[in-house]
Structure formats: C-alpha cells, structure tokens
Amino acid sequence: MSEQAGRHQGEETVRDEEAVSRFVERFAAELTEAGMQRMAARVFAALLSSDSGALTSAELSERLQISPAAISGAIRYLVQVNMVRREREPGTRRDRYRLYNELWYETLGSRDHMLTRWEDVLREGAKSLGPDTPAGARVAETVAFFEFMQGELARMLDRWREHRDKQLRGEA
C-alpha cells in the first residue's frame, strides 16, 4: 500500500516514490529550461532529493532509469561546474557522487573565479578593440557589469551566511 509523502510509519518517514520521481523530473525540467544539460539536471535533482545527498552510479541508474554512460557524462559536467564531487566508497572501487555542503553558496562562490577570468579576457578585448569604437565600448561595459556583479555577489553571499547562521540559532 502506497503511503503519502511525509507520513510517518514508526520513526521513519515513508515517501511516495512516485511523488518524489515527479519532483525530480519537474525540477530537472526547470534546470534544463534554464540551460543545464538534461541528464545533468536529472542527476542533480536525484542527488538533491536523496536524504544523504550522495548516490552511486548504480543507484542513480536505478532511480532515473538511465544508462551508466548517461550518468558518467552528467557527473562529468556537474563536477566541472562544482555542483557535485566524486568520492571513493571506502573499501570498494565504486565512486559515490555527493552534493557539496552549502551547495548553492559554493556553486555561486565558484562563479566569482569564472567572472574574474572573463573580466581579464574582456578587459584585454576592450583595449584591443579600442575604447572609442562601438565594440570596444560594449566590451568595456561588459567588464564594468561583471565587476559590479562580483562585488554584489560577495556581499550577497556574506549576507546569506549571516542569515543562515541566525536561522540555525533559531533567531530568524
């Protein structure tokens, strides 16, 4: 007999696996719509919905009904964009894929490095194009935008940490 999501049976929460699956697919569709690769979005949503925040390739394959090759490609992407890390299961040759602690904080924080790299290249491009040309001015404005974003992102992440700490202390 299927239990409703969130109902308790003894000390364990029994989940409606169909509802969980619908959530994974719906959130993955939203991530895909925002530009993430489809399989990476599905793998990420499955990891996010797992209590441990970590699953093996076999567990992901079973949950998502996709091939190990599809999981491998998705994990490669997620590791590259710092959303997931690969760790070896103790005593085995199997990898376990784990979400970072403070996932969104870490993911957005890593974007800071990317913005710096883009700024450097764009700054060189603005010089090469010449500040008095339309293209040079456009590229210089892009540099200014990324500089602004970096400053705001750093302040926003600091505010998030303060907010989260208050929540953890029960003050929010």
Side-chain angles (χ1 to χ4, degrees), residues 3-57:
E3 300 274 339
Q4 293 296 323
R7 281 191 42 199
H8 294 276
Q9 187 174 34
E11 291 294 314
E12 279 184 43
T13 298
V14 178
R15 290 194 176 104
D16 178 343
E17 292 304 321
E18 287 181 34
V20 172
S21 182
R22 283 191 304 274
F23 160 73
V24 166
E25 295 304 328
R26 183 166 179 227
F27 188 55
E30 292 296 328
L31 292 171
T32 301
E33 187 72 25
M36 186 183 279
Q37 297 172 357
R38 184 173 184 277
M39 282 302 145
R42 291 183 72 212
V43 167
F44 176 76
L47 286 167
L48 188 65
S49 70
S50 71
D51 285 336
S52 65
L55 297 167
T56 65
S57 182

Side-chain angles (χ1 to χ4, degrees), residues 30-124:
E30 292 296 328
L31 292 171
T32 301
E33 187 72 25
M36 186 183 279
Q37 297 172 357
R38 184 173 184 277
M39 282 302 145
R42 291 183 72 212
V43 167
F44 176 76
L47 286 167
L48 188 65
S49 70
S50 71
D51 285 336
S52 65
L55 297 167
T56 65
S57 182
E59 291 166 333
L60 285 164
S61 182
E62 181 181 327
R63 283 181 189 218
L64 299 172
Q65 299 297 297
I66 58 177
S67 73
I71 291 167
S72 178
I75 291 295
R76 191 170 29 259
Y77 171 82
L78 292 168
V79 167
Q80 181 182 350
V81 297
N82 294 319
M83 294 180 81
V84 169
R85 71 174 181 261
R86 184 185 317 252
E87 40 186 58
R88 184 69 62 171
E89 278 194 332
T92 73
R93 298 171 77 185
R94 290 190 318 192
D95 286 331
R96 178 170 289 280
Y97 308 108
R98 179 175 300 282
L99 298 175
Y100 282 99
N101 291 334
E102 299 182 344
L103 168 71
W104 298 110
Y105 180 90
E106 294 296 328
T107 300
L108 287 173
S110 71
R111 295 301 184 253
D112 186 53
H113 303 295
M114 178 184 64
L115 289 174
T116 299
R117 290 180 20 219
W118 288 2
E119 278 178 42
D120 292 344
V121 172
L122 288 163
R123 200 171 281 110
E124 287 177 31

